[in-house]
Amino acid sequence: MQQTVKLIENSYDNISLYNQFIEHGRHVILAEAAAMHDLATSITNDFAKTVELLLKAHGRIIVSGIGKSGHVGRKIAATLASTGSSAFFIHPAEAAHGDLGMMMGGDVMIAISFSGRTRELLPMIAYAKTLDVPVIVITSQKGDILTKEALLTLRLPELKEACPANIAPTTSTTLTMALGDALAVSMMRYRGFSRDGFKLLHPGGEIGFRLQSIGRLMHEGEAIPLVDAEEPMREVLVTMSKKSFGTAGVINKQGELLGVITDGDLRRHADHLMESMAKDVMTCDPVTMRADDLAEDALILMNERRITSLFILGKNGKKCPVGLLHIHDLMRMG
């Protein structure tokens, strides 16, 4: 084991070998990108008919495939489910041992087979026919056995796999996955599926975090660094230090936000800082958001404006700050 590691380390010292690795990687990506372009131009009415069929389905979308096609099928089913379609994956081997019972009338089946000759899918397709479940086959130009049983066939363009032997599923799996994404997003757009839909279906994880309202993440109450417009800067500095956000919101007697004071403002007024009041140092008309805005939008805005914190206003349209959001509160989304 130690000898193997040593050989690898010595190889990495060889710049020409590095260059070979880089060239191989670029070749694979460019080859798959070219095939993706061919796929895009090969989209026909059969694709549109497939989208229509899936949209009209009264039941679920059942995806199946074996080997690498199975792995891709699981991803396609997951994408369909996460974008508002009732979809799940059935493995052909499990189907032959009882999972066919998961299929019901009103469903639609998507069978994935690059060769078009995956015989393990035939029992599923035969059972689908007994239930009048329409079958969509995703396959290559060479596929024949399964396409005879299909209502609709989505064919991948003629392609070569990105591996040197033209054997390992690489380009073909990339194209199949892209075709699944195209189906899911086309259905999503037709239904008007929006962020609200994602929010309901993704309450956890990164997507759920991004689609949270700012109101669930912001600092509230006594934690908000607010100072009066007439407050001396000596006291403002105490508030900024105590609250530890590097900023202070300047408000009037009605509690409305007039401006903000940041570390940059302190530096710009350093020569007369201690003789000033908050209103003399603040930056007017600060960037703000509402409590019901999304965390994702806040992160985009803060990155675009190169700011580290935002004062959050309430939902009633008034300019009274109800919270403060710091970039650190959004770091999970970075």
Side-chain angles (χ1 to χ4, degrees):
M1 184 66 180
Q2 291 179 346
Q3 186 178 9
T4 302
V5 172
K6 186 176 182 180
L7 287 172
I8 293 173
E9 289 174 347
N10 289 339
S11 297
Y12 281 0
D13 291 333
N14 189 330
I15 295 177
S16 64
L17 188 61
Y18 258 0
N19 290 337
Q20 288 180 38
F21 291 160
I22 292 170
E23 186 62 28
H24 293 163
R26 287 175 177 168
H27 171 78
V28 170
I29 293 170
L30 289 173
E32 294 194 0
M36 289 280 280
H37 180 269
D38 292 340
L39 175 64
T41 58
S42 72
I43 296 294
T44 64
N45 283 342
D46 283 340
F47 177 87
K49 292 177 182 178
T50 298
V51 174
E52 182 182 21
L53 178 62
L54 294 175
L55 286 168
K56 289 182 176 180
H58 298 298
R60 296 81 43 82
I61 301 170
I62 297 171
V63 185
S64 190
I66 201 163
K68 299 300 184 294
S69 293
H71 295 309
V72 172
R74 289 182 188 277
K75 192 274 178 187
I76 291 175
T79 299
L80 287 167
S82 70
T83 52
S85 299
S86 179
F88 61 94
F89 178 85
I90 299 180
H91 193 283
E94 298 295 335
H97 291 274
D99 280 3
L100 278 176
M102 300 170 70
M103 190 183 297
M104 300 185 299
D107 292 344
V108 175
M109 178 180 173
I110 299 177
I112 303 172
S113 168
F114 177 66
S115 68
R117 305 183 182 96
T118 306
R119 296 188 178 276
E120 291 88 345
L121 287 167
L122 289 174
M124 287 188 68
I125 294 175
Y127 184 69
K129 285 191 170 184
T130 67
L131 299 176
D132 290 326
V133 169
V135 177
I136 301 158
V137 170
I138 298 177
T139 187
S140 70
Q141 293 284 0
K142 298 175 289 186
D144 53 6
I145 295 176
L146 298 186
T147 58
K148 294 177 182 177
E149 309 295 330
L151 176 65
L152 290 168
T153 299
L154 299 181
R155 292 188 182 275
L156 303 180
E158 291 187 17
L159 57 88
K160 286 186 177 180
E161 301 291 4
C163 86
N166 192 29
I167 294 176
T170 47
T171 305
S172 58
T173 50
T174 299
L175 265 59
T176 305
M177 195 172 297
L179 191 56
D181 289 342
L183 290 172
V185 174
S186 295
M187 295 167 65
M188 175 182 170
R189 288 191 172 187
Y190 178 83
R191 289 177 175 143
F193 192 80
S194 64
R195 283 177 164 184
D196 290 336
F198 269 109
K199 189 174 181 179
L200 289 172
L201 295 177
H202 298 79
E206 182 181 347
I207 292 178
F209 183 82
R210 287 162 49 189
L211 297 180
Q212 287 188 81
S213 65
I214 291 173
R216 299 186 63 183
L217 301 173
M218 68 186 186
H219 303 270
E220 302 176 84
E222 293 298 320
I224 310 174
L226 296 176
V227 298
D228 190 88
E230 305 293 332
E231 195 166 323
M233 282 305 300
R234 285 186 175 84
E235 297 178 19
V236 173
L237 291 172
V238 172
T239 299
M240 292 178 67
S241 177
K242 184 178 179 181
K243 305 295 184 179
S244 301
F245 290 113
T247 188
V250 182
I251 57 176
N252 59 19
K253 299 298 182 183
Q254 291 73 42
E256 297 174 321
L257 188 68
L258 301 177
V260 297
I261 298 173
T262 65
D263 291 336
D265 295 313
L266 299 181
R267 289 191 293 271
R268 282 189 288 272
H269 296 83
D271 56 343
H272 55 272
L273 189 64
M274 293 307 174
E275 293 77 37
S276 304
M277 290 185 291
K279 65 180 182 180
D280 302 320
V281 178
M282 70 180 187
T283 296
C284 298
D285 299 320
V287 178
T288 60
M289 295 189 76
R290 296 284 175 181
D292 53 354
D293 289 334
L294 297 181
E296 181 176 40
D297 292 331
L299 181 62
I300 293 172
L301 179 61
M302 292 167 85
N303 284 332
E304 288 178 348
R305 302 296 291 268
R306 297 183 181 181
I307 54 179
T308 60
S309 59
L310 283 170
F311 281 93
I312 310 303
L313 307 182
K315 302 178 182 180
N316 54 11
K318 294 183 179 180
K319 293 185 177 181
C320 300
V322 296
L324 179 119
L325 186 71
H326 195 274
I327 191 70
H328 291 162
D329 302 320
L330 303 171
M331 288 308 291
R332 279 179 54 195
M333 293 167 50

